[in-house]
Amino acid sequence: MARIRPAIGPRTLSLLGAAVLAGCTTETHSFLNPASLTAESQRDLMIWAFGLMLVVLIPVWVMAIWFPWRYREDKSGADYRPDWAHSNLIEAVVWIVPAILVVAISALVWVYTHRLDPYASPVARGEPLHVQAISLDWKWVFLYPDNGVASVNTLILPEGRPVEMSITSDTVMNALYLPGLAGQIYAMAGMVTHLNFAPDHRGHFTGRNMQYSGDGFPDHRFDVSVESAGDFQRFVREHQGHSPQLSTATYRQLANAHATARPAVFGGFPPRLFDQVVHKYCATDCDQTTAGDRP
Amino acid sequence: MNWLGRLSLDALPLYSPIAAIGAGVEVLAGLAIVLLIWRKGWWTRLWRDWLTTVDHKKLGVMYVVLALVMLLRGFADAFLMRTQQAIALNSEGILPPDHFDQIFTAHGTIMIFFMAMPFLVGLLNIVVPLQIGARDVAFPRLNAMSLWMTAAGAALVLLSLVLGTFSTAGWTGYPPYSELATTPDTGVDYWIWSVLIAGVGSTMTGINFLVTILRERAPGMTLMRMPLLTWTALVTSVLMVFAFPALTVSTVMLALDRDLGMHFFTNGGGGNMMNYMNLFWIWGHPEVYILILPAFGIFSEVVATFSRKPLFGYASLVYATAAIGILSFTVWLHHFFTMGASANVNAAFGIATMVIAVPTGVKVFDWLFTMYHGRVRFTAPMLWTLGFIVTFVIGGATGVLLSIPPVDFAMHNSVFLVAHFHNMLVPGALFGYLAGYMYWFPKVFGFRLDERWGKRSFWAWIIGFYLAFMPLYATGIMGMPRRMEHYSNAAWQPLLWVAELGAVFIGIGVLCLAIQLAVSIRHREALRDTTGDPWDGRTLEWATASPPPAWNFDVQPTVHALDELAWRKARHYDATADGAPAPIVMPNDTASGVWLGALAFVFGFAMVWYVWWLAALSLCGLIGFVVFAMFSETPEFRVVDAPEVTPC
């Protein structure tokens, strides 16, 4: 997938916008410092759309100051036209120009909503890393089904490899948010949602729940670190089978405690734990989780 | 059996000192008002002239009073939130979490349902029948009932500060968090019953104004001769009639889940929270336009009058209004792009959303061209309008950004969203209502409001608005979620202090409004308007006396043109040509609105506290009362003699 480089408008606009917006941030909490193609495209899309809209905004601001000032009562004399209330030309322009703009932005929306669909992998190459995420009050459990490790409130990902996350909730509705990597998707009990992305920079991020969920909500966050492929393999080898298991009892403790938890890594977890959590709330068709028309 | 349900001494607000103080202030203020009325001996007059009235102008005034009182409460909540967030970097701040969570819920609920709704319904009540040359609304008694249902809902919200707690689930009340398993206390119940009762009132208002505008127009007033405010009122009424039942249904279903153990939206048991989001936003998105369209109507009237010109592109404005009304029902899914819908669905709803920007943009340009070649007077209502135009387009642009699904994935639930909808609703709705309040005040009371304090209020509000919400756009882009009781990202704090400063400025704006009212009442003789037309107005409401007689027009006017009054002035039209005075059919005052509101309040209270016997009793009372009112022998109307026409 290519980055967004629409043909219209000066490229400098994007750079300028990014510079202005980047001035606002000091931490890697946001898609202003993207570490994946997905997040970078989200940012660029926003800047481009805003740039396009300036075509309407700037004339409005100019006219909103110029007209009332020019035609203020204590100044205006002969050019008062008390019956002038219609002009086909102006009407045509004010309908057509915004309409063209909306068509232009709509085209971007259609193309990039499909390209950046969180259910589709952003890159074709590479074996995806599967991660299952379960939201609890007020912590996250991550399972790596292919690697036999699990973690609480810490998410370790390899650089340059597509990540395929499946997400559910063992509590009220939450939203898994990975700023700078993938944006967010709701986590809902008895249902599975998905986030696909491919980190392409190493670094540390703060992921979190974005959907208000009670007293512990402000602290419902977790560490994300994107490491080199080698470091990720070392992390798996170090913990797989060596660290304590995430037993069913431990999971139940985590699920029942209405509190955050320290980051921890486990060397294994009960098989099908994720499916059990989903099926706790759902009898059939639990993977058909969408508001729309997913196959 | 416990006769008090779950009501006990634990209901007192001792969980947070600020809640206890707030409750104390509320109770004392209530007592002070009651005492004042008692001492002055105003009870009889209050009951006879106001509480039992069915006069649309007086009902409108009471709606606006309710809105202004609730604006104070909603602002107090906002100020507490901004203060908490300015302080609470790695610290507890001033509010414990359960209180902060109640405050953000109360702020949203109050500002939408009990400030904005009553404000706009009040203004429409005052203006629309006058603008269309009608004697009253189509159903005057229903109109009173709507007011008292709204007031009952507001009373429940105010009561929740003193007894029990309010919801912590946000003004949207998303399940499963709002289900009994997660939030068993009284909060969500207060939210459900206050919103539900007020919502029934709003539905009735919608029906009333729909019929009024379609059926009660003066002879000659064709649809395309209706002033733009009336047009927006018509479209708003249609939206109310279609949208509010969805709110009623979704809150009733949530109540069934909580009270009768059903499983519409629960986790498990066959419940599906996604259905709630669909139902809620099928009401919730049109609601945004219910709030904004009447303000567009007010801006249209104000900009034409104070430019001394007809509205530019009237037909365009009408079609744009209607288009917005229809499109508002096609976009609800953009509130949950992040629920896992397919790219096709998300893209379709994203595009549907941004299509609304076209008619909205047209309106903005038409207002601008109304000033072009005009004679612009910088009165207070005009300042609110100009401030709105400059600011509102920023909110429109950020709205388009949020309607792009991939951008929404990064921004949803962040304070960027909070900044966006405040950018729509503060300049887009509230500035309009305040402009309308200052514009039509002399019509209702016969004297103008003080211009200087009105302008001071405007400048404080607009400066405050930029200071309070522009930083939230920035922190939102920096990943700050909404509804944070405390946080650990030091980069947000300086911006949140700027936002706090903005709240201070808005507070000054609110104070200026209060001073303006006091100063104007004191100087009312100097501000007296004896003409009925203090602004050189263009529409029919300025063609009658200020304040208008109970029957509005001594002789119902015949309409010849759009901007009828401007047409009459230009031609020196003799009003006696409208016809000779004839006896007038007037609605009789009735206490049924007050009783209905009181019964609804008792019912809501009983449902919140599980006082089942009282709930059953008051529900039977409500049904019985409506049936009784239907078969009542008391005449609803009387005929009054023809008024003596005084030439003006």
Side-chain angles (χ1 to χ4, degrees), chain B residues 345-368:
Chain B
V345 168
N346 280 348
F349 278 87
I351 291 168
T353 302
M354 54 186 71
V355 166
I356 297 188
V358 177
T360 312
V362 169
K363 279 172 160 275
V364 170
F365 284 110
D366 282 349
W367 293 319
L368 290 170

Side-chain angles (χ1 to χ4, degrees), chain A residues 173-221:
Chain A
M173 188 171 84
N174 288 176
L176 179 77
Y177 179 49
L178 293 169
L181 289 169
Q184 66 189 298
I185 199 101
Y186 284 156
M188 296 176 283
M191 297 180 254
V192 184
T193 45
H194 299 280
L195 265 186
N196 282 274
F197 59 98
D200 56 12
H201 294 301
R202 271 172 275 175
H204 293 276
F205 307 87
T206 303
R208 56 167 306 119
N209 166 28
M210 284 294 271
Q211 175 69 36
Y212 174 77
S213 59
D215 283 0
F217 168 68
D219 301 316
H220 198 175
R221 56 178 188 263

Side-chain angles (χ1 to χ4, degrees), chain A residues 24 26-27 30 61 67 71 73 79-82 84-85 91 95 114 171 184 186 211-212 219 290 293-294, chain B residues 101 168 267 308-310 313 316 338 340-342 344 368 373 376-377 390 409 412-413 477-478 486 489 491:
Chain A
C24 305
T26 56
E27 281 186 44
S30 134
W61 286 325
F67 284 0
Y71 296 103
E73 184 164 53
D79 53 359
Y80 173 45
R81 293 166 66 184
W84 184 79
E91 295 270 351
W95 276 99
H114 284 83
T171 175
Q184 66 189 298
Y186 284 156
Q211 175 69 36
Y212 174 77
D219 301 316
T290 60
D293 55 356
R294 295 283 177 199
Chain B
D101 302 343
T168 58
N267 265 357
R308 296 193 196 277
K309 266 185 69 207
S316 263
T338 56
S342 74
N344 282 338
L368 290 170
H373 282 299
V376 178
R377 287 175 282 171
V390 170
F409 283 116
H412 183 59
N413 269 332
I477 288 173
M478 291 157 73
H486 62 267
N489 187 340

Side-chain angles (χ1 to χ4, degrees), chain A residues 21 24-27 29-32 41-43 45-47 49-50 53 55-57 59-61 63-69 71-74 76-87 90-91 94-95 98-99 102 105-110 112-114 116-119 137 169-173 175 177 179 182-191 193 195 208-215 217-219 221 280-282 288-294, chain B residues 97-98 101 104 168-169 174-177 182 267-270 272-274 277-278 307-314 316 319-320 333 335-348 350-351 354-355 357-359 361-362 364-366 368-369 371-378 386 389-391 393-394 396-398 400-401 403-414 416 474 477-486 488-492 495 538:
Chain A
L21 293 172
C24 305
T25 184
T26 56
E27 281 186 44
H29 275 271
S30 134
F31 72 141
L32 289 183
S41 304
Q42 287 169 345
R43 180 197 65 186
L45 194 53
M46 178 175 98
I47 292 166
F50 194 77
M53 278 183 290
V55 174
V56 169
L57 296 191
V60 166
W61 286 325
M63 286 192 268
I65 292 164
W66 178 38
F67 284 0
W69 188 249
Y71 296 103
R72 67 189 187 276
E73 184 164 53
D74 50 359
S76 55
D79 53 359
Y80 173 45
R81 293 166 66 184
D83 296 323
W84 184 79
H86 183 72
S87 152
I90 293 173
E91 295 270 351
V94 301
W95 276 99
V102 163
I105 300 174
S106 296
L108 284 178
V109 166
W110 188 263
Y112 285 97
T113 302
H114 284 83
L116 302 176
D117 182 6
Y119 279 48
D137 280 347
S169 171
D170 199 355
T171 175
V172 299
M173 188 171 84
Y177 179 49
Q184 66 189 298
I185 199 101
Y186 284 156
M188 296 176 283
M191 297 180 254
T193 45
L195 265 186
R208 56 167 306 119
N209 166 28
M210 284 294 271
Q211 175 69 36
Y212 174 77
S213 59
D215 283 0
F217 168 68
D219 301 316
R221 56 178 188 263
K280 202 168 130 185
Y281 301 100
C282 168
Q288 306 302 314
T289 60
T290 60
D293 55 356
R294 295 283 177 199
Chain B
D98 58 338
D101 302 343
F104 72 66
T168 58
Y174 271 11
Y177 179 77
T182 333
N267 265 357
N272 190 333
M273 62 205 79
M274 297 196 295
M277 275 126 230
N278 272 291
S307 303
R308 296 193 196 277
K309 266 185 69 207
L311 264 178
F312 179 86
Y314 169 81
S316 263
Y319 292 123
L333 194 134
H335 292 270
F336 40 92
F337 282 149
T338 56
M339 206 160 72
S342 74
N344 282 338
V345 168
N346 280 348
I351 291 168
M354 54 186 71
V355 166
V358 177
V362 169
V364 170
F365 284 110
D366 282 349
L368 290 170
F369 280 103
M371 294 185 283
Y372 188 67
H373 282 299
R375 280 183 173 166
V376 178
R377 287 175 282 171
F378 292 97
L386 290 171
I389 291 175
V390 170
T391 311
V393 289
I394 302 172
T398 56
V400 171
L401 295 183
S403 73
I404 301 171
V407 176
D408 184 72
F409 283 116
M411 305 276 231
H412 183 59
N413 269 332
S414 76
F416 187 92
I477 288 173
M478 291 157 73
M480 182 181 178
R482 68 204 291 197
R483 299 170 178 168
M484 292 291 268
E485 189 263 335
H486 62 267
S488 56
N489 187 340
W492 298 337
L495 289 162
R538 313 185 57 82

